[in-house]
Structure formats: C-alpha cells, structure tokens
C-alpha cells in the first residue's frame, strides 16, 4: 500500500515506460474501478464513483438550468423499435445484450433459461427509440414543445475489447433528448449543449479540448450533425469526451412524433440528443494522472482535503485525534468559490499514517493533511498538495483555513494549465503529406491539424489506426491541399489515434 | 385537462367507487408514470421521477451520514453466482430476465439474436451475490471492516401481474450492503437502518407505518432476520415500504467473504442488506391522494409552490408575467425549515391558467398561486393549498413570503395527521377467531392485530388473500390464543392483504 522504496514514484510503471500499463495501475491503485467477472463489465469503487457523482451533480445543475426535466425510461427496448431507424440499427445492432428468456429452472441440479419471450428484447445501448415512443404520445401540438428531457442511466454495448472505464459493456451516462417545433430551435440547443460540455470539461474536469464537428462517417448513427469535444490524453491519443447530435426529423419520422403547428398542420418534430459518460473518469486519469497515480481536480474530488491523524498508540493519540477532527470540522465551515463547503474527510481507518498518505496521493486527493503531536501542540497544519506530494508545507490552522479555498483553486488551475500546455504542444501543424502522416502515427502520437477534401479518401486512415476526430471550429490549418489525397482541401480537420 | 363539469371532483372515479381504477387515474392524471410497451416496464415521467429524486436526495444524505459510501456494481450477474446461496436462488430464480446472446443479425430483413453467450447471464434482481464477489476481494482483515456500501440502481424481477409503480419488471431502488466483524455490530446497523426508514417514511413521505419483523416465510431469501415498515393504503391493504435484512454469515459463506480477526483467525463476515424502491411513489399516491388526484408532501415535492400567470392576450400580460416571475424569484430566496430554498416553479406554458391550475392540483403540488392583473395592481398573492383546492386564499406578497414556510409545514403535517388517523382507525383488535378473519377479509380491509403461535398454521391465510405482514415491535394484542389455530399465542402479529 505504501510507496515502494526501490522506486522513485508510487506507480511501479511510469507513463514513459508503458502508458497502457501505467493507466491500469492508476485505476487500480487509485481505487477508481475494476473489471468484474462478467466479461466487459466494471465495478466503480467508492472513490471512482464519487468522482462520477460530483460530475453528475455539476452537470445536472447545468442541464436543469436549461429547462430539461429528468425522467426515467425502460432498460429494455423491443426489437421492433430498433428496426425503425435504418442507420441507427446498423450502428448499434452488432453489439447489444439480448434478453430471450424470463425465467430460470433447475434441471439436473443446474439452472437453465426457461420461459422464452415471444419477442426478444434488448438492453438499451441508447434510448432514442424508447424515448421517441413516449414523445410520440406526449406531443400533440406546438404548445407541448419544446419537450426537453434528460435521463441518468446505465446503458449496455457489448464490447469485444473492453478497457476499464474507457470502453466497458455497461457504462453510466447522462442522455438528453429534446423535441422542437423547428430546426433553428433544435440546432440552438445542440450548440448550447456543445458549449455546456466544453465548459464542464474545461472548468470542472480541467480537461482542455478541441471543439468541432464529426465527419459523416463518425456521426452518431441516425444523426444529421454530431458535435464533439475531443480531449488529448498524455499519450497523444484523442478521447471523445462529450457529443451532441442534431437528429433532424429522422427519429421523429421513425417514431411518428408529430405536432399540430400554429398553421394547423401536422409536422414532424425536430430532435436532438446528447451525452456524457463514465469514461470521463478514465479521461481524468489519463489527462491529469502522474507517476504517483491519479490526480483529481478539486471541483470534482469527492474529498478535497483528507485529514490523517498520526497515531502511535501512546498518550498523544487522544489529543491528536481531537485536533484532527477539529481541523476537518472547521474545514467544512469554509466556503469554496463554488459556493459550497470544503469537502473534508477525516480518515481514522486502522492503517499507519504513512500508508494512508500514499493511498490518498495515489487516489489523487487534492490536499492531504497529516496531524501529529507537534501540530497539535503548536496549532499548526502540515499538508501536501497533490501537485507536489513530495513537498511538505506547514502553517498555522487559521492561516490554513483562510487560504484553503485559494489553494484548491491553484490546484484546479495548475492541473488545467499543465494539460493545456500538453494539448498545445501536441497539435502538429507540420505534417503535410500522407507519407509523413503514416510515419508519424507509426511512432508518434498527437493531433495532426491539416486540410481534407471531404471525400472518401478518409478511408485511407484506417490502416494507420487513425481517424478524423473532428472538423475543428476554432483551429485553422495553413495547408492548402487534402492531406489524404492531395486534392483541394476544403475543410480543416484533426486527425489522431483515439480511445 | 380541466376538472370535468359533470363531476364534483377532478378524478372521474372516486376512491369509494373503485380504488384500483382511481389509483390508475391518479398515476396517469398526476403525470407520475405510465406503463411502457415492454411488458411490465414503466416510464417515470418528470413529475413522478422528480418525487423519487427528492426522496433519493433526502435518503442519500442519511445513508452518507452513516458512513456508507456509494458505489456501482454490474447490471449483469453470472448464473453461477446466483446458485451459491440456496435459499436466495429459490426466492429469485423464477422471475429473472436472462441474457443469452450478445449480438443481433439481419436475416431475411428481420433482426434475430446471434452470438450466444457461453454462460447465460441474468439481469440483477438484487445485488448480494455480485457485491459479495467484490467484498471477498476487498476484505482481508478486521482493519477493512466495517465495509459499508450503498448503490442507487435499477433492478429487474419479471412480473407476471405488473402494476404501475407498485410492481414493475424494472424498478429503481437504493440497496445498502454492509460487512462487519461481529454479529452485534451488523445487527446494530440493521436496526439503525430500520429506524432510518421509519423516520424517512413518517418525516419526509408523511406515511405513518407499523414497524416490525417478518415471519420466516416472508423473509428476504437468504436472510436470518428481515425488519419491515408496513404502511396502510387508503383501501386498508398493507404496503411494505422498506426492509432491512440481517444476513448472518449466509452470504459471506456463499461468496467466501473472510477476514483475519484480531486473534489472527480467518472468520466469515457478518452481513446486512436493505432497500427502498420507487414503489414508494405509488405508496404516496395511495396514502395521500384524494378524489382530486395526487397529493405530494412538501418535503418531497419537486416543486412546492407553482406560480401560474393568468394571461388574456391583452395589455396586462406583460405586467402580470413580470409580477409572477418576481413572486417565484422571491420565493426561491425564502428558506424552509429543511434549510433549503423554497422550490418555486414559474409555469409559463401555453395553456389556459385554469387548465394549468387543475393540472397542478392533480399532480399534487402543495401550493398553487394564480396571478392576475388585480393581484399585480395590489401586490397581492392569490393561492390554494392542496389540502383544499376549492378554497382560494389571498394575502399581501410580503405576508405570503413570510408565512409560506409555515404553510408548507402545515400541509406536511396535515397529510401526516390524516394518514395517521386512517392507520389508527384501520387497525382491528376485535377480530379474534379465524372465521371472523375470513369474513373480514372477504369484504373489509385493514390490519388485524392479533396473536400467532409461530407455526405452520400461517398457511391458512393464503386462501383469504392475506398474510402475516409483521411481528410488530410496538403494538400489543390483548388476544391470548393464536388466531389461526387456536393454540397458544406466542407473539403479536399484523395480518392484512397487501400490495
């Protein structure tokens, strides 16, 4: 549980040595999650789930503020629903869990499926079709629009190559679904949510991103436009951190969602959908983690300050415990710039203090306070910031309480600045030919900013293991020609390998 | 949408006329939930789901305060896990959704299940076995105990006779799971949670209950003791509102959850589990609803005060809208006795004010304010309490703001008092023979408080459609003999029909 003496860092594998192996270790040692015995499914442990809960709280506030109501729709979708939208079914049909029986019976001492269903049902991979069925009933006239719904739920997409937190058969997400009386209003929501995701990623998760639109081949199956925020992991690969889709009238046609417009005519509604998932917890690990483990941005840390008493089984223990408790209590009466009390945790588990300290470093708690007899006697606080767990700092309790909010801000900003620098350094503008790109992706990693003609030459990226991540809305390439085919470059694109 | 003119009440069926039909109407007209097209599954609409979210917020606070951490475990459970605990499998095996395939393929234009799984998996009906598998890995020594986990999740139990909110194939719940180093500590948690559920039911949901223990035949499959809170619906039937189970070492034996105790010996952990579900939303409807629809206790109402502007498409509209907005804004700056701002909603949808008022009455919003030009001119507030939607009251804005918290309390207490009176009146102590019980349950409904010998005569209740709901911890029957067999009555019991 402690930092190994024979290593300079708490992780036995560094990022430079083996990034995928390092990531597995960060997730395990950081108590974020672990794979379950059911293939491809994961267990989110309290610390990792706590990060997701914080993200959920912050995002939900934003979603509610936009007039979206939370609701809950069934886990199961009739097979016939999935068949209604042709592109949708093509995109999802290959990776779904299918329920075929509703009973088990004991035969020869073993449980076997019994009572087959008349029609198999699938476990939702996404809820456009099932929510569409309700919307078709709820929407009668323009007065029922806009209809803005959001759902926090689990979804299942069968993964043949699962990776903990990043790509799991079951994952948790938020899925927004809205219906509108016209295209402009729907599109305005898509853009607003796209901005909301960006602000959330940068402001709360401290993850800088490249905003943009997906090319046709990378869109959500059934969407007319998909907007994305693409983050860069420390190995230079892209991670799609949140998408918002303009669905046009494709799903309203499939589900027959019509409204009587102000002219008294029946018209198909204009739809959007958008989501952010638990893979964001993995993105935080791969963006901010270091060779000592996870780093959690203070705004989404389940505990922002952890107070560890140093107990030696002697006469000081009682006073140390009382003082450590007092520090945690007084921290909870400090308000951070988020307008919420500091999330302070008093860790009185029966482990040695040094073990607990390293456990919290590996979990990425922003600040760890260790309380010994000398601190108690002097009314001092000895603490470490996760930005530098090797530097121990000390100050008076009152000073600590009055500066802790600034200290948390400094960690939040420090993590963002470090990640932003990495992103900027990782955007390559100097790769101008397909051969150069081929060579680059064979060894290097990063975002190649270049031009594309918009044509089928996109396919040529597949053998390289890369793809067009987005048509960025803010970055411009100085290239003239399409990197892939040499034709006329009509749009800027980011090309990268991805998770 | 409005109150029918030909009826004295907003519900077309009254409780007295046809309770089950009345309930269906309350759920539908109150926008709580509706059955989905997948047999037995339901859609929780924003208002009904909002009630669940409020319950979740309040309960989660209590659960966290007890040192339980939230986590998330897989939806899918390997078949082999379910077989480990013999009683558990007997109790659940008959009603589970079984996943047998992980892909769909198109054949002759139809989607059919493809790629069968090596071992079928089941959709969790409850999570003792899958959480047990993790606990077995996480628990090594007494220092890892107690381990206290809670999960908010969806679970599936195939229902052959589904009823919206009360008995659905998929439902949402909170399930707590704890492991302890000894029986006393585990049992203390079971009792503490039992008290917590009671306080939540009475204090937040305003539902009075009878606390007690289940008889052996009604226990959770695999538990050694099950404690329950039994509520009485307005038709006199019982509804089990929350259960807490002492599992002893049954599940730790099945999942091999062992810890090194302080004497250095490996010992099986002592376990508990406990849960409350979305059926509680149905219980609120059947406890507090009246012939005008749903009544939501203010503490769990998604909106406590709804402000409806009366707009007539004339020159007053702008000032009325501004004044109504101001009332809602100022309400949000009032703090209730819960220490939270008043949940005020400004309803500016394009429906007539009278339609909206009745919609909110049927949904059970505690207070509805209607704002017209005269209110605006006089800085007055015209409002109705859900306790009496036919009485319109009026006062100055400042007075309304200073009294609204008390008004909400009065509604909360009024609902509890009404329900408590009903419960007390519904407990029958005068039924002393089996024949009397038979006659009573043939026509009447209520809780029969009597004595039981503890024997197999319990079975005799089945033909009556009744069962032993609990061995109450606070009520005492003056009967001497077992109601069922006439033998010596060794314990008090509540016998009732139930949901």
């Amino acid at each position: 549980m402690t930092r190994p003496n024979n290593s300079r860092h708490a992780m036995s594998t560094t990022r430079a040595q083996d990034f995928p192996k390092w990531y597995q270790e960060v997730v395990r040692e950081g108590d974020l999650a672990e794979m379950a015995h059911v293939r491809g499914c994961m267990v989110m442990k309290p610390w990792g789930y706590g990060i997701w809960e914080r993200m959920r709280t912050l995002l939900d506030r934003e979603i509610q503020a936009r007039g979206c109501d939370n609701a809950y729709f069934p886990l199961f979708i009739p097979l016939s629903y999935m068949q209604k939208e042709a592109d949708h079914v093509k995109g999802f049909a290959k990776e779904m869990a299918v329920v075929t029986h509703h009973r088990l019976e004991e035969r020869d001492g073993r449980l076997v499926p019994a009572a087959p269903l008349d029609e198999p049902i699938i476990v939702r991979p996404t809820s456009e079709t099932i929510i569409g069925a309700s919307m078709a009933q709820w929407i009668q006239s323009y007065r029922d629009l806009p209809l803005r719904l959001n759902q926090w739920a689990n979804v299942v997409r069968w993964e043949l190559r699962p990776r903990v937190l990043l790509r799991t058969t079951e994952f948790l997400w938020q899925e927004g679904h809205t219906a509108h009386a016209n295209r402009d209003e729907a599109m305005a929501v898509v853009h607003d949510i796209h901005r909301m995701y960006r602000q959330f990623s940068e402001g709360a998760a401290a993850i800088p991103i490249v905003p943009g639109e997906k090319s046709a081949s990378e869109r959500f199956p059934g969407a007319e436009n998909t907007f994305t925020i693409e983050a860069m992991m420390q190995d230079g690969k892209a991670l799609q951190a949140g998408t918002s889709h303009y669905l046009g009238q494709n799903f309203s046609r499939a589900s027959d969602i019509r409204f009587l417009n102000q002219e008294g005519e029946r018209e198909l509604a204009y739809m959007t959908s958008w989501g952010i998932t638990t893979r964001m917890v993995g993105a935080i690990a791969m963006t901010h983690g270091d060779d000592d483990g996870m780093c959690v941005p203070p705004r989404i840390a389940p505990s922002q300050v952890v107070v560890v008493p140093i107990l030696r089984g002697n006469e000081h223990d009682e006073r140390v415990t009382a003082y450590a408790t007092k520090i945690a209590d007084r921290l909870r009466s400090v308000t951070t710039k988020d307008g919420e009390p500091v999330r302070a945790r008093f860790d009185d588990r029966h482990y040695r203090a040094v073990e607990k300290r390293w456990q919290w470093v590996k979990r990425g708690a922003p600040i760890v306070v260790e309380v010994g007899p000398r601190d108690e006697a002097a009314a001092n606080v000895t603490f470490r910031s996760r930005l530098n767990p090797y530097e121990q700092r000390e100050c008076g309790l009152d000073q600590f309480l009055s500066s802790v909010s600034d200290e948390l801000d400094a960690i939040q900003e420090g993590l963002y600045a470090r990640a932003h620098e990495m992103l900027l350094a990782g955007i390559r503008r100097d790769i101008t030919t397909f051969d150069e790109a081929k060579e680059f992706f064979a060894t290097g990693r990063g975002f190649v900013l270049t031009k594309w003609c918009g044509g089928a030459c996109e396919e040529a990226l597949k053998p390289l293991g890369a793809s067009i991540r987005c048509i960025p809305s803010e970055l411009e390439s100085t290239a003239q020609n399409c990197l892939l085919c040499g034709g006329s470059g009509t749009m800027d694109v980011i090309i990268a390998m991805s998770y």
Side-chain angles (χ1 to χ4, degrees), chain A:
Chain A
M1 302 289 270
T2 55
R3 178 182 172 214
N5 292 324
N6 58 353
S7 154
R8 292 177 53 217
H9 293 285
M11 297 294 101
S12 64
T13 305
T14 66
R15 289 163 291 178
Q17 283 167 346
D18 186 336
F19 193 81
K21 200 171 163 198
W22 166 86
Y23 171 71
Q24 300 289 340
E25 191 175 352
V26 169
V27 172
R28 186 179 64 247
E29 295 293 312
D31 283 328
L32 301 180
E34 59 191 28
M35 294 310 286
H37 283 113
V38 173
R39 199 177 178 312
C41 288
M42 68 172 165
V43 174
M44 294 192 77
K45 299 177 79 172
W47 182 251
Y49 187 73
I51 297 171
W52 174 244
E53 278 193 322
R54 275 299 300 167
M55 298 206 286
R56 178 179 163 138
T57 299
L58 295 177
L59 262 177
D60 197 59
R61 205 176 286 164
E62 292 297 320
I63 291 168
Q64 303 294 315
R66 282 163 173 79
C68 294
D69 288 322
N70 285 340
Y72 188 77
F73 294 85
L75 173 69
F76 297 129
I77 301 184
L79 207 45
S80 56
Y81 282 25
M82 286 304 288
Q83 292 175 294
K84 286 181 184 172
E85 217 290 327
D87 288 332
H88 193 62
V89 78
K90 267 186 215 147
F92 284 105
K94 290 191 178 145
E95 37 174 312
M96 296 194 287
V98 190
V99 177
T100 56
H101 296 72
H102 66 84
R103 191 175 300 152
L104 293 171
E105 274 176 18
E106 212 168 332
R107 283 192 208 140
D108 306 327
R110 282 186 59 227
L111 287 176
V112 293
L117 295 170
D118 294 337
E119 188 198 4
I121 50 181
I122 56 159
V123 181
R124 63 182 163 217
T126 180
S127 303
E128 277 75 8
T129 58
I130 191 113
I131 294 182
S134 286
M135 283 188 167
Q137 296 182 310
W138 298 351
I139 295 170
Q140 302 297 330
S141 90
Y142 70 92
R143 297 190 305 175
D144 303 318
L145 297 175
L147 181 57
R148 290 167 294 196
L149 298 172
N150 180 62
Q151 166 168 283
W152 293 93
N154 52 345
V155 286
V156 170
R157 299 173 187 183
W158 208 267
E159 283 293 344
L160 299 178
R161 281 181 297 277
R163 285 194 79 168
V164 66
L165 285 170
L166 299 176
R167 201 168 274 282
T168 48
T169 288
E170 181 192 17
F171 58 88
L172 305 182
W173 77 350
Q174 151 278 311
E175 52 178 321
H177 297 268
T178 71
H180 305 267
N182 59 65
R183 181 187 189 282
D184 288 353
E185 192 184 280
M187 195 57 103
V189 164
V190 173
H191 286 298
D192 182 43
I193 297 296
H194 181 51
R195 273 192 302 275
M196 178 185 83
Y197 284 160
R198 179 189 192 160
Q199 282 161 9
F200 169 76
S201 180
E202 295 180 340
I207 298 178
I209 52 85
V210 174
E213 189 174 346
K214 287 286 185 189
S215 65
S217 69
E218 298 280 336
R219 270 181 215 141
F220 176 76
E224 294 199 359
N225 307 84
T226 289
F227 296 89
T228 180
I229 53 172
E230 297 284 324
M232 185 190 287
M233 304 296 99
Q234 287 181 73
D235 61 352
K237 284 195 193 175
L239 184 141
Q240 176 181 305
T243 48
S244 28
H245 316 294
Y246 173 64
L247 305 176
Q249 296 176 307
N250 294 337
F251 283 89
S252 52
R253 196 174 296 114
S255 296
D256 201 31
I257 306 172
R258 290 172 197 273
F259 67 99
L260 210 61
N261 65 23
Q262 298 209 37
E263 287 73 45
E265 290 154 358
R266 302 241 302 157
E267 192 178 345
L268 291 169
Y270 299 80
M271 320 281 291
T272 83
S273 71
W274 26 279
I276 253 184
T277 82
T278 38
R279 78 185 319 219
M280 200 72 180
V281 179
I284 290 164
M286 290 201 299
T287 302
H288 300 305
D290 61 22
D291 293 339
D292 292 310
M294 181 71 168
C295 292
V296 189
R299 293 199 62 203
I300 54 173
S303 301
Q304 296 171 311
V305 184
V306 178
V307 181
V308 175
I310 303 172
L311 305 176
R312 308 210 186 275
N314 62 24
E315 75 279 13
H316 298 300
D317 284 6
E318 202 173 312
R319 287 217 315 274
V320 165
T321 299
Y323 182 59
T325 306
K326 176 181 161 183
I327 295 174
D329 285 345
R330 289 199 53 191
L331 278 166
R332 289 187 198 104
S333 65
V334 172
T335 303
T336 67
K337 294 210 181 92
D338 279 341
E340 293 175 50
V342 169
R343 291 185 292 283
R345 178 171 183 143
F346 174 54
D347 182 359
D348 61 349
R349 291 172 304 152
H350 298 125
Y351 293 98
R352 288 192 307 139
V354 66
E355 281 183 280
K356 288 198 269 191
R357 181 216 301 163
W358 278 105
Q359 212 171 44
W360 288 110
V361 167
K362 291 188 285 188
R363 286 176 179 175
I367 296 173
V368 179
V369 173
E370 278 169 286
V371 182
R374 274 186 300 180
D375 297 299
E376 191 271 331
N380 262 358
V381 176
T382 302
F383 68 100
R384 292 161 201 258
S385 154
R386 185 58 185 82
L387 286 182
N388 185 356
Y390 299 98
E391 184 199 6
Q392 183 169 295
R393 289 152 67 191
E394 201 178 326
C395 67
L397 174 56
D398 287 335
Q399 197 198 325
F400 181 71
L401 293 170
S402 65
S403 63
V404 67
S405 176
D406 288 338
E407 187 70 34
L408 291 169
D409 279 354
I411 296 171
Q412 182 84 27
E413 284 158 24
L415 290 175
Y416 181 80
R418 197 160 81 178
H420 193 230
E421 202 174 309
M422 178 190 77
L423 172 64
L424 293 182
I427 297 177
R428 300 289 299 261
R429 297 159 191 265
D430 56 334
I431 291 164
T432 54
T433 68
F434 186 71
D435 280 345
E436 283 171 21
K438 203 168 165 178
E439 202 184 313
F440 176 70
F441 286 118
T443 54
R445 300 284 182 266
F447 285 12
V448 172
L449 175 61
T450 183
K451 281 278 196 310
W452 176 45
C453 68
C457 56
E458 189 180 3
E459 284 290 307
L461 287 169
K462 275 199 184 156
L464 278 54
S467 59
I468 294 178
R469 301 313 303 158
C470 69
I471 299 148
S473 51
E474 290 172 7
L475 297 171
E476 268 178 62
S477 163
T478 53
Q480 297 295 317
N481 297 331
C482 173
L483 178 95
L484 303 174
C485 68
S488 173
T490 57
M491 60 189 96
D492 299 301
V493 286
I494 291 286
I495 295 172
M497 299 176 87
S498 70
Y499 283 97

